[in-house]
Amino acid sequence: MCGIVGFVGHKNAANKIINGLKRLEYRGYDSAGIALVEKGSGKLCVIKTAGKIADLEHEVQSGYSGSSETGIGHTRWATHGKPTKDNAHPHATEFIALVHNGIIENYADLRKRLASYGISLYSDTDTEVVAQMISFLFSKGASPLEAVQQTISLIQGAYAFGVVFNKHPEMVICARQGSPLAVGTDVDGRLSLGSDAVALSGFASQIIYLESGDIAQLYSNGNLNIFDKENNEVKRQWQPIDKDQAAPDKKGYEHFMLKEIFEQPSTIKNTLTHYIGRAVNKTDNVLETNIHPSGLNWNQINHITIVACGTSYYAGLVAKYWFEKYARIPVEVDVASEYRYRTPPIYEKSIGIFISQSGETADTLAALRYMRSLGHMCAAIVNVPTSTLAREADAVLPTFAGTEVSVASTKAFTAQMTVLAYMLIEALKTRNCIDLSADFAKEILDINELISRALDTMQKLAPLAKKLSKAKDIIYFGRGALYPIAMEGALKMKELSYIHAEGYAAGEMKHGPIALIDKGMPIIVLCPYDKDGLFHKVVSNICEAETRGAQISVLTCNKGRALFKEMGLKYSTYLYPETTQFTAPMLYSIPVQFLAYLTALNRGVDIDQPRNLAKSVTVE
Ligand code: F6R
C-alpha cells in the first residue's frame, strides 16, 4: 500500500529517495512520485509517473539536474481517483509538496471549504485537500508547523504524511494518525522518514516509530522536534534498525514467493524453537517436550475471539477447528472489516487474538482498538515485532518467519498456524489434558520435516498447474480443518493467477455450488486419510462432482491413495506424507501455495506483486 520516504540534509536526495522507494515496492503500488526542494532558490521540483519506480527513476535522471538535499517520495496504491499522473503524489502547490498514506474521510467537506476560499483542485484524490489546506494557511502567514497543526485539526480519517515547503529547504514536517510512519537517523545524525524500517534500512541506523497523533519536524542539522496530539513537545525512544529488515534478497530464487515457500521448514522451526523445546533424556532416551509459558492464563479463558484479514483470517479458522475440538473452548472468528461494525457480544473470561503478518492492517488494528476499548485482553500474533499491532496489544506472540516480501503470504501463514498450535498445546496442558498436549507437542515438532519432504516432490504438480493455467474457474474442496486451507488455496490461486477460484466445505457443494460444475471443471480436493471418518465423506462429495463432469485432482497420502484404488476410483493423485487432523492443515498449505505459484508462472504474470494488491493494507 502507499509508501513514504523523505530525506533532509542528505547529499543527492533524489537518488536516496528513489532507492528508498525501491525498497517500498514490495508493498504494492500503481504510481509514484518525488518532490525536491532546491537549497538556494527554494524551487520545488515535482516528478510523477503513472508507472513503476524504474520509469520514475528514468524521468528523474533525464529531467532533473538540481542538487537538492531535501525531498520526499511516494508509491501510491489508488483509493480515491484512478492511478494517473495527476492523482499520483506528491500533491503540490506553489508553496508546498505533500505525500500521504491513509484516507481523509471528510475530504468532500474540505473540498467545499477550499472552494469557498477560491481554491480549486486538480486531482480526484482525497489527499490533495490536505496539501491545499496546508498551503493556503502557510500562504496566509502561518508558520509551517502552525499550518500543519491547523490542517490536522480539520481532517478526519487515517493519515501519515510528509510535507516540504519551498521557503524551508532545511526542513521536512511529518505527521501520523492511524497509518504508520517512522523517523530514522544515520550515524552522522542525518534524518530521514519512511513508512517502515524496510524503507529506511540502508540509510538509517536507528529509528523512532511515531505515535498516533505525533507531528515531527526534521531539520538538516539533525535537530528533531516531536509534538504529541496535545501539541506538547515530547521525546520518543530511538531503536536500532532490525538487521532482518534490511533490503530483501531473492537468494538465487526466481521469485520471493518461491524463496518464501521453500523457507517454511526453517521458519516453522524458528517459530517452534521460541515456544516449544525438545530434549532427549539421556538415561532412557525419551523425548521430552518443554512448553514455554506465554503469560496467558488458559484457566481463566473460556472463550476466544479471533480477528484477522485474508490469509491470516484463514489461520484463525484453522485454530477454531483445533481449539473447539481439542480444548473445548468456543471460538469466534471474524474478518476484521466486519468485526466492530456488527456490535458483537462481549463474553466473560474471553480473549481476543489478532493475527497479522504486517501488524499494520488498518481493519485489524481498528478491531483491536475497539476490543481493547471494551476492556478486553487482546493478544497479537504478528510477524513484525515493531509493528503498531504489536505495540498496542496487551500480549504479543511473534511469528519468526523473517521479512515476507512476496505480496502473497506463505511463510507467515504457516508460522501463524505454528503459534496457534502452540497456544492450543499450552491451553491443553494448563487445562489438564496433559497427554494430548504432549502428543501434539511431539507432532508439531516434526512438522517441518514433513514439509521438507513435501517440498521435495512439488514439481510433480507442474503438469496440473499447466492445465489449470487455462481454466476459467477452479474449485477447491476440503473438510474439517482443511476447509480453511481449501479457501486459502483458492485465495492464492485468485491473487496470483487472476483465475476465479473458490474453496468449499466439500459437503456444502450439493447445496448450490454444484450447479457450477460442467464438463472439465477442475476441482482440487484436499483429502488425506484420517481416522475420524471425514475421508469417506469427502470421497462421496468427490463422486457427486465427478458424475457431473468435473476433473478431479486429489492431494492425499499413501493410505488415501490405496483406499481410492480399493474403491476403483481413478483420480489424479498427488502424494504427501501421512499427517493427523491436527497437522494436516499445515502440511497441505504447501501444495496449494505451490500450485498457485506454478499456475501463475505459466500465465506469465507478476508473481511477487500481483495487480491491484498491496502487502500492507493500511487503509480501511
Ligand atoms: C494473501 C494476503 C492477504 C493478507 C491480508 C492480511 O496472500 O497476503 O490476504 O493475509 O491482507 O494482512 P496481514 O496479515 O498483514 O494483516
Side-chain angles (χ1 to χ4, degrees):
M1 199 141 270
C2 299
I4 292 175
V5 284
F7 293 91
V8 59
H10 286 250
K11 286 223 158 58
N12 206 344
N15 251 353
K16 289 205 163 156
I17 294 170
I18 295 288
N19 286 335
L21 291 179
K22 282 183 184 165
R23 285 164 197 267
L24 285 172
E25 278 194 297
Y26 80 97
R27 292 163 74 103
Y29 68 104
D30 34 45
S31 57
I34 173 170
L36 298 152
V37 203
E38 279 308 313
K39 207 170 176 180
S41 63
K43 200 175 132 225
L44 280 175
C45 172
V46 177
I47 301 172
K48 309 203 271 192
T49 172
K52 291 282 175 186
I53 304 295
D55 305 325
L56 181 70
E57 184 173 24
H58 181 72
E59 286 198 35
V60 171
Q61 276 163 2
S62 56
Y64 178 72
S65 56
S67 59
S68 173
E69 294 184 1
T70 297
I72 48 180
H74 191 261
T75 48
R76 174 172 186 252
W77 186 84
T79 57
H80 296 59
K82 294 201 165 108
T84 60
K85 196 165 172 172
D86 271 350
N87 290 336
H89 302 203
H91 285 289
T93 67
E94 185 189 345
F95 307 110
I96 70 132
L98 175 134
V99 288
H100 165 232
N101 172 16
I103 291 181
I104 305 302
E105 285 167 2
N106 61 337
Y107 75 98
D109 290 345
L110 293 174
R111 262 177 185 259
K112 278 190 211 140
R113 190 193 272 243
L114 285 162
S116 75
Y117 302 153
I119 298 168
S120 53
L121 276 63
Y122 61 82
S123 77
D124 307 318
T125 64
D126 53 329
T127 299
E128 194 193 338
V129 296
V130 185
Q132 296 286 0
M133 191 61 77
I134 292 174
S135 175
F136 172 74
L137 295 167
F138 180 61
S139 72
K140 294 284 171 223
S143 70
L145 183 63
E146 286 164 354
V148 168
Q149 285 169 332
Q150 287 168 28
T151 302
I152 282 175
S153 71
L154 298 173
I155 58 184
Q156 286 159 17
Y159 57 80
F161 65 75
V163 53
V164 288
F165 295 78
N166 66 339
K167 294 183 184 151
H168 295 277
E170 78 294 353
M171 181 188 68
V172 174
I173 297 189
C174 62
R176 75 160 283 233
Q177 167 83 50
S179 307
L181 195 63
V183 175
T185 179
D186 65 13
V187 282
D188 299 316
R190 285 173 302 194
L191 297 170
S192 47
L193 79 134
S195 295
D196 60 25
V198 176
L200 294 177
S201 65
F203 308 110
S205 52
Q206 294 190 90
I207 195 164
I208 287 174
Y209 294 94
L210 294 176
E211 307 268 316
S212 211
D214 280 357
I215 301 176
Q217 275 179 305
L218 288 63
Y219 289 95
S220 54
N221 63 3
N223 281 352
L224 172 67
N225 305 326
I226 303 178
F227 303 89
D228 67 9
K229 55 175 171 287
E230 266 88 45
N231 289 335
N232 299 313
E233 190 157 358
V234 286
K235 289 260 170 282
R236 303 268 181 240
Q237 199 64 38
W238 288 107
Q239 303 176 25
I241 282 210
D242 186 351
K243 292 253 174 351
D244 211 31
Q245 293 180 331
D249 175 3
K250 284 191 203 136
K251 303 236 161 86
Y253 285 93
E254 198 177 343
H255 297 99
F256 280 110
M257 182 179 180
L258 190 62
K259 169 179 164 265
E260 288 161 6
I261 289 175
F262 274 92
E263 277 174 347
Q264 289 175 102
S266 70
T267 51
I268 290 171
K269 194 167 176 209
N270 289 346
T271 305
L272 279 172
T273 307
H274 184 81
Y275 294 104
I276 306 179
R278 167 147 63 182
V280 178
N281 177 330
K282 284 199 179 124
T283 346
D284 57 13
N285 237 2
V286 165
L287 277 183
E288 284 179 352
T289 48
N290 176 18
I291 297 149
H292 306 150
S294 64
L296 301 177
N297 184 354
W298 287 104
N299 274 327
Q300 291 295 315
I301 297 171
N302 285 344
H303 178 269
I304 301 172
T305 300
I306 299 180
V307 184
C309 300
T311 291
S312 301
Y313 167 73
Y314 294 137
L317 281 183
V318 169
K320 177 178 169 72
Y321 279 92
W322 283 342
F323 272 94
E324 292 192 336
K325 179 168 181 153
Y326 303 118
R328 313 298 298 152
I329 302 177
V331 181
E332 265 173 49
V333 192
D334 267 77
V335 281
S337 53
E338 286 298 312
Y339 177 66
R340 71 202 167 111
Y341 297 110
R342 72 174 176 88
T343 327
I346 292 297
Y347 300 88
E348 288 287 303
K349 296 191 174 176
S350 179
I351 181 176
I353 302 178
F354 294 77
I355 310 173
S356 173
Q357 186 287 126
S358 61
E360 301 297 351
T361 303
D363 285 315
T364 310
L365 271 169
L368 174 105
R369 288 172 187 146
Y370 171 75
M371 198 168 181
R372 289 195 76 228
S373 74
L374 300 174
H376 262 266
M377 157 91 179
C378 294
I381 298 178
V382 280
N383 197 39
V384 182
T386 48
S387 61
T388 314
L389 197 72
R391 280 180 280 129
E392 293 193 13
D394 300 298
V396 182
L397 290 102
T399 48
F400 294 86
T403 306
E404 190 178 67
V405 177
S406 159
V407 165
S409 186
T410 53
K411 61 176 182 170
F413 178 56
T414 46
Q416 289 164 349
M417 285 191 283
T418 306
V419 174
L420 289 159
Y422 151 75
M423 290 171 99
L424 171 74
I425 289 165
E426 194 193 33
L428 287 170
K429 189 179 170 195
T430 316
R431 294 159 79 98
N432 289 329
C433 302
I434 313 272
D435 290 348
L436 192 54
S437 167
D439 286 351
F440 281 173
K442 277 185 205 148
E443 267 183 51
I444 200 77
L445 283 166
D446 288 335
I447 188 70
N448 53 326
E449 299 282 332
L450 299 189
I451 288 179
S452 290
R453 279 169 49 203
L455 281 168
D456 288 343
T457 64
M458 280 304 154
Q459 280 306 335
K460 292 197 172 145
L461 289 167
L464 173 60
K466 198 160 185 191
K467 273 194 212 147
L468 292 181
S469 66
K470 299 193 181 79
K472 249 179 76 215
D473 305 279
I474 303 170
I475 289 181
Y476 288 72
F477 276 1
R479 289 192 78 148
L482 285 174
Y483 167 39
I485 305 305
M487 290 192 279
E488 167 61 5
L491 175 65
K492 283 281 145 324
M493 187 59 82
K494 277 187 262 220
E495 64 182 333
L496 288 162
S497 69
Y498 317 145
I499 297 171
H500 173 245
E502 297 300 337
Y504 287 110
E508 187 61 15
M509 198 61 199
K510 54 190 165 298
H511 300 289
I514 201 161
L516 292 171
I517 297 180
D518 58 8
K519 199 166 162 16
M521 152 89 82
I523 299 191
I524 315 295
V525 189
L526 311 181
C527 186
Y529 176 73
D530 77 84
K531 62 179 180 345
D532 295 344
L534 276 174
F535 175 83
H536 290 284
K537 306 275 176 210
V538 183
V539 172
S540 308
N541 303 140
I542 301 174
C543 292
E544 290 153 13
E546 202 222 1
T547 344
R548 286 160 181 88
Q551 207 147 69
I552 310 286
S553 304
V554 185
L555 313 187
T556 186
C557 54
N558 269 321
K559 180 135 195 213
R561 185 169 65 174
L563 286 168
F564 277 115
K565 251 193 181 160
E566 258 176 43
M567 290 182 270
L569 300 171
K570 293 190 189 108
Y571 303 129
S572 319
T573 45
Y574 300 86
L575 291 186
Y576 299 99
E578 307 286 333
T579 48
T580 61
Q581 272 202 346
F582 173 53
T583 46
M586 292 186 66
L587 183 79
Y588 282 84
S589 300
I590 311 298
V592 298
Q593 294 168 352
F594 209 79
L595 197 55
Y597 172 81
L598 289 174
T599 307
L601 200 63
N602 276 297
R603 286 168 70 92
V605 291
D606 187 345
I607 290 186
D608 284 332
Q609 284 169 36
R611 70 180 179 204
N612 303 338
L613 295 182
K615 183 68 188 156
S616 184
V617 184
T618 51
V619 293
E620 269 195 61

